[in-house]
Amino acid sequence: MERRAEKRVHPPVDVVLDFALWPADTVVPSKLPLAALRPPTACRGRGQALILADVASIGLGIRIEGPAGLLSRLHRLDALYIYLKLREYRPMTANAALSLFFHVKIAWADLEPGSLTLGLRVLHLGRGAASEKSLEFLDVRGFGVKELAGWIDALCRDNLGPEAVTQASGVHLDTLLAEPELTLPDR
């Protein structure tokens, strides 16, 4: 039986709103000051593109498009810091985007002219420190990222579409009040 942490989906191509990549050591510090992070090596603002090919709460498949020199440098790395701002699919969220910061291990890499495809294993989730300009890291390699798992579940529900929900013979709570048995008579 498939474990939830390993549930892998292929999101729409327009799901990445923003991104940034930095080289990282294979061992992550417990706190990383923003000054030590420096400007990103690759990001949308510098003209590169990142396509999220597939996603699971324990890993990512990405394709980066950019100049050959940059792609070659990224291809030689063992680990990365990656910032992703994703289109939000979870209901009842305050923002229209889900922003995540990860420390990842590069599991495999495929360099082609104009693009680099990477398989990334999520090791640590970065969170903003409350009292200083730094990121604190949580070890998530054993169980995956809870926020990402919820986002994947919402994406899967969203991709079903309303026609898939109404064709089911059972009761779906999103359309409960539209059930013929519960329709209010006109007065």
Side-chain angles (χ1 to χ4, degrees):
M1 184 162 63
E2 181 180 75
R3 290 177 32 205
R4 185 170 183 247
E6 295 171 356
K7 182 178 186 178
R8 186 167 296 274
V9 298
H10 303 282
V13 293
D14 65 345
V15 74
V16 178
L17 302 174
D18 206 357
F19 79 95
L21 301 171
W22 295 264
D25 291 329
T26 53
V27 177
V28 71
S30 59
K31 275 192 178 181
L32 178 67
L34 291 186
L37 195 56
R38 299 189 182 164
T41 302
C43 66
R44 184 177 307 278
R46 289 192 175 165
Q48 291 89 38
L50 183 140
I51 293 96
L52 191 57
D54 59 76
V55 60
S57 68
I58 60 171
L60 308 167
I62 64 171
R63 189 173 83 236
I64 306 158
E65 297 173 349
L70 169 69
L71 298 176
S72 179
R73 282 194 311 272
L74 292 172
H75 183 252
R76 291 190 296 266
L77 297 174
D78 293 324
L80 289 169
Y81 293 119
I82 181 169
Y83 166 75
L84 291 173
K85 188 176 197 178
L86 304 174
R87 187 173 314 284
E88 183 61 91
Y89 292 94
R90 297 174 300 165
M92 309 295 275
T93 51
N95 298 324
L98 172 63
S99 298
L100 300 163
F101 192 93
F102 300 122
H103 172 247
V104 297
K105 175 184 171 188
I106 299 174
W108 58 268
D110 184 20
L111 182 60
E112 297 177 2
S115 72
L116 173 64
T117 305
L118 298 172
L120 306 174
R121 174 78 163 105
V122 177
L123 303 177
H124 299 92
L125 174 64
R127 299 200 186 250
S131 60
E132 59 190 11
K133 295 282 188 178
S134 66
L135 295 163
E136 300 172 335
F137 289 97
L138 303 169
D139 188 339
V140 294
R141 62 187 131 192
F143 50 88
V145 179
K146 179 181 74 165
E147 296 87 349
L148 201 51
W151 183 85
I152 290 167
D153 289 345
L155 176 64
C156 289
R157 279 192 304 273
D158 192 53
N159 283 340
L160 285 176
E163 64 280 350
V165 171
T166 57
Q167 289 176 358
S169 60
V171 173
H172 193 279
L173 292 181
D174 289 345
T175 58
L176 179 67
L177 296 179
E179 293 290 335
E181 295 85 356
L182 300 178
T183 303
L184 294 174
D186 290 334
R187 290 185 184 198

